[in-house]
Amino acid sequence: MHLAFFRYYPAQRANLYFAFFAGALALERLIIIIQWALSSPTLEAMLPLQFVRTLLYYLAYLWAVRALYTLFGFRPGWLYKGLWMGFFAVITLTLFARTYASLVGGLLIISIIAELLRLTWLALRQRQRGAWMVGAGFAVILLVLAIALGVVAVSALLKVPNPIPSASQGGFQTFVNLLLYLSPALGISLYLAREFALDSQLLQVKLSEVERLSAQTLAQEQEKQALLAAQNETLEQQVTQRTEQLQRSLTDLRATQAQLLQKEKMASLGELTAGIAHEIQNPLNFVTNFSDLSSELVAELREEQAKGVAADAALQQELFEDLTQNLDKISHHGRRAAGIVKGMLEHSQTSAGERRPTNLNGLTEEYLRLAYQGLRAKDKAFNVELTTDFAPELTPVTMVGPDVGRVLLNLFTNAFYAVRERQQVGEAGYQPTVRVSTQRVEEQVHIRVQDNGTGMSPVVREKIFQPFFTTKPPGEGTGLGLSLSYDIIAQGHGGTLSVESKQGGGSTFTIILPV
């Protein structure tokens, strides 16, 4: 039974020691039965059986002590080790000095019983549950011993023969043996049964608590799920609203960006138109002046012809010659204006996006002149020293002419703006200067636009190519000119656009294009 308990509940190790205790006693009783069953046994047969019986007897009670240590949670100490030393002493004496073996064995049994009683008493004092059951089992042994001692004492006082030996035959001896052997075992078994019952009840209580907590947890989980579902629905609504707001903001931003890009294009077109208008104005003025003069000459010629015979032939010839010269001059300046328009048409949007070999020096000089004339058209008092250093015999560069011209126009306009700003400060001895140069370096061409204007701080220089960043006052710049110029050079032509600048010391923009 105890082995079965230990098999299914290994944590209660006391069951293993109780199984050893009960098994050893059972084997010891079996040896007695074997001795009784033998008819006229020899000494050689009896001695080994008696030795094994003695061994099992003492082992049984030592395991009983170990079982109580484990059962009540006591730690075996020097006293328990002393009992085992006594056991080995009894075994040794049984083998080699049987005269003293009975005496030492009796002392060992008394010590074992004393230790069992001590452990039980400690458990009772500590009020360990069920300890009284084990104590009751050992109390029966004490009661039987007390009765036996009382009978012996009474017999001695009354001087009558001891009745126990005569009564210790047959059924009475069996009854006494049953009390001595079974009462501790029954007490321990009842204790363990009670422990299992209490553990079962505690397990049932814990199971009920677990079921209650599980139901509570399930309810809380369902509540959380409902709350999460509500929060998810709220979040989805908020996300939808935010998405709609972001979509509207993105649409507005794209519209604003398109407007700014259009504004930047119109600003560049305005600069270009102003330069073209200034370039065309001079030949148109000549055309107008010589046309008016020619009209006057035609009127004089008609008056002279109206005199008939009295007309002066020499004067008429002179008027014809002056009129012819005026028409030649009108034609010359007309062709000059047409040449300007033709040059601009070559860089117009009819070739936008198409790469073709382009005279870079001519393109640079043309847009430099137009940018300067455009600024002069706005401010007649503005003057700047222009210095050009174009690489001679520079081979044509394959590019989108209008796009690169737009970049150059932007750089020239910024350079003129920078020197004009520094000039307006009134710095003594300052002469606005813009220098433009081209250079062939291996398989690349470099275009540098250098000014001695206001320059830039390191913070501004780091942000100069960012979209919508500008240092100009509101209304004078969109912050897209250099950003778009960078994209045209870097992405559109596989080149680079860089800047070197020092605050108060001017700036140098460098365009590098592959040939």
Side-chain angles (χ1 to χ4, degrees):
M1 179 183 68
H2 287 295
L3 281 175
F5 285 163
F6 176 74
R7 170 65 178 81
Y8 293 107
Y9 189 36
Q12 183 57 276
R13 197 169 181 80
N15 280 307
L16 179 63
Y17 297 118
F18 283 132
F20 290 163
F21 163 70
L25 285 183
L27 291 175
E28 192 261 346
R29 292 292 93 185
L30 179 62
I31 291 174
I32 293 175
I33 295 174
I34 293 173
Q35 289 176 340
W36 289 345
L38 293 174
S39 58
S40 300
T42 62
L43 183 60
E44 288 79 4
M46 290 297 293
L47 287 177
L49 291 174
Q50 188 63 32
F51 175 76
V52 174
R53 177 185 170 190
T54 303
L55 179 67
L56 292 172
Y57 181 76
Y58 292 121
L59 278 177
Y61 283 98
L62 284 172
W63 279 324
V65 173
R66 187 67 177 87
L68 287 190
Y69 273 110
T70 305
L71 188 64
F72 295 134
F74 298 142
R75 185 175 181 181
W78 61 268
L79 192 57
Y80 180 68
K81 295 178 181 177
L83 294 177
W84 275 99
M85 292 177 64
F87 166 74
F88 289 115
V90 171
I91 298 302
T92 304
L93 291 174
T94 302
L95 291 174
F96 302 104
R98 297 183 58 85
T99 305
Y100 302 102
S102 299
L103 177 61
V104 176
L107 293 175
L108 178 60
I109 286 297
I110 293 173
S111 300
I112 290 174
I113 293 174
E115 180 64 5
L116 291 171
L117 293 174
R118 186 184 73 86
L119 294 174
T120 305
W121 174 249
L122 288 176
L124 290 171
R125 287 187 61 184
Q126 294 178 2
R127 295 185 178 180
Q128 294 194 24
R129 64 182 190 181
W132 60 270
M133 293 182 179
V134 180
F138 291 110
V140 172
I141 297 176
L142 293 177
L143 179 62
V144 172
L145 293 176
I147 292 173
L149 291 175
V151 171
V152 172
V154 171
S155 300
L157 289 175
L158 298 178
K159 296 181 180 181
V160 296
N162 186 2
I164 293 178
S166 60
S168 60
Q169 305 296 326
F172 182 75
Q173 184 183 9
T174 302
F175 175 73
V176 171
N177 285 335
L178 286 174
L179 287 177
L180 293 176
Y181 282 102
L182 293 181
S183 57
L186 289 174
I188 293 170
S189 298
L190 289 173
Y191 172 83
L192 292 173
R194 184 176 182 274
E195 287 293 304
F196 274 103
L198 292 175
D199 289 342
S200 178
Q201 292 177 2
L202 180 60
L203 184 61
Q204 187 65 34
V205 171
K206 290 183 178 179
L207 181 60
S208 300
E209 183 68 16
V210 168
E211 291 177 351
R212 185 185 66 81
L213 292 175
S214 298
Q216 183 178 356
T217 303
L218 181 60
Q220 292 176 351
E221 187 67 24
Q222 292 175 350
E223 184 179 355
K224 288 181 180 178
Q225 291 294 337
L227 182 60
L228 286 174
Q231 290 179 348
N232 285 335
E233 184 177 357
T234 303
L235 286 174
E236 288 177 359
Q237 294 176 355
Q238 292 178 351
V239 168
T240 303
Q241 294 175 357
R242 296 291 188 275
T243 303
E244 293 176 354
Q245 293 176 358
L246 289 174
Q247 189 65 35
R248 289 195 296 269
S249 299
L250 182 60
T251 302
D252 296 341
L253 181 61
R254 286 175 177 172
T256 304
Q257 185 178 8
Q259 293 175 0
L260 289 173
L261 288 173
Q262 186 63 25
K263 183 179 179 181
E264 179 66 25
K265 291 180 179 179
M266 295 303 295
S268 299
L269 182 61
E271 298 286 344
L272 190 61
T273 303
I276 295 172
H278 189 276
E279 285 287 301
I280 295 178
Q281 186 63 42
N282 288 332
L284 288 181
N285 287 337
F286 281 109
V287 169
T288 301
N289 291 335
F290 285 114
S291 295
D292 293 339
L293 184 58
S294 296
S295 297
E296 294 176 0
L297 291 175
V298 169
E300 283 187 45
L301 183 59
R302 285 176 179 175
E303 290 178 0
E304 192 63 31
Q305 288 179 345
K307 293 180 181 180
V309 179
D312 188 349
L315 178 62
Q316 290 182 11
Q317 183 63 32
E318 183 180 351
L319 290 175
F320 274 119
E321 290 178 359
D322 291 340
L323 186 59
T324 300
Q325 291 177 0
N326 288 346
L327 290 175
D328 290 339
K329 292 178 179 178
I330 289 173
S331 176
H332 169 73
H333 288 289
R335 286 194 299 271
R336 179 183 170 190
I340 295 173
V341 173
K342 181 181 179 181
M344 299 316 315
L345 288 176
E346 289 180 354
H347 304 297
S348 66
Q349 292 185 355
T350 56
S351 61
E354 181 182 350
R355 292 173 177 266
R356 60 176 58 183
T358 304
N359 183 353
L360 186 60
N361 287 340
L363 183 72
T364 304
E365 185 176 13
E366 182 179 357
Y367 275 91
L368 176 63
R369 185 178 68 251
L370 292 175
Y372 180 61
Q373 297 298 343
L375 187 58
R376 287 270 298 163
K378 296 179 182 178
D379 185 4
K380 300 293 185 182
F382 176 70
N383 285 293
V384 63
E385 180 181 346
L386 294 177
T387 303
T388 58
D389 183 13
F390 297 138
E393 299 180 358
L394 185 66
T395 57
V397 180
T398 302
M399 66 175 72
V400 182
D403 289 350
V404 176
R406 182 178 172 187
V407 174
L408 292 171
L409 183 64
N410 191 281
L411 296 182
F412 297 150
T413 303
N414 288 342
F416 293 145
Y417 180 87
V419 298
R420 184 168 176 265
E421 287 292 307
R422 184 172 178 180
Q423 185 184 41
Q424 290 179 349
V425 175
E427 183 179 341
Y430 174 70
Q431 174 61 41
T433 304
V434 174
R435 184 175 185 273
V436 182
S437 65
T438 60
Q439 182 183 9
R440 172 72 179 264
V441 180
E442 296 180 354
E443 298 301 319
Q444 296 176 337
V445 60
H446 293 200
I447 310 170
R448 287 186 177 85
V449 180
Q450 184 178 2
D451 66 76
N452 62 345
T454 55
M456 292 177 282
S457 66
V459 176
V460 173
R461 191 169 63 247
E462 290 179 0
K463 299 180 181 179
I464 197 67
F465 295 115
Q466 293 181 6
F468 308 109
F469 177 79
T470 181
T471 57
K472 296 179 181 179
E476 294 191 20
T478 62
L480 290 172
L482 288 176
S483 173
L484 293 175
S485 298
Y486 185 88
D487 291 342
I488 290 172
I489 298 300
Q491 299 180 11
H493 292 79
T496 61
L497 174 59
S498 59
V499 60
E500 297 177 3
S501 182
K502 181 180 180 181
Q503 193 165 12
S507 303
T508 301
F509 284 86
T510 303
I511 300 174
I512 300 178
L513 294 173
V515 176

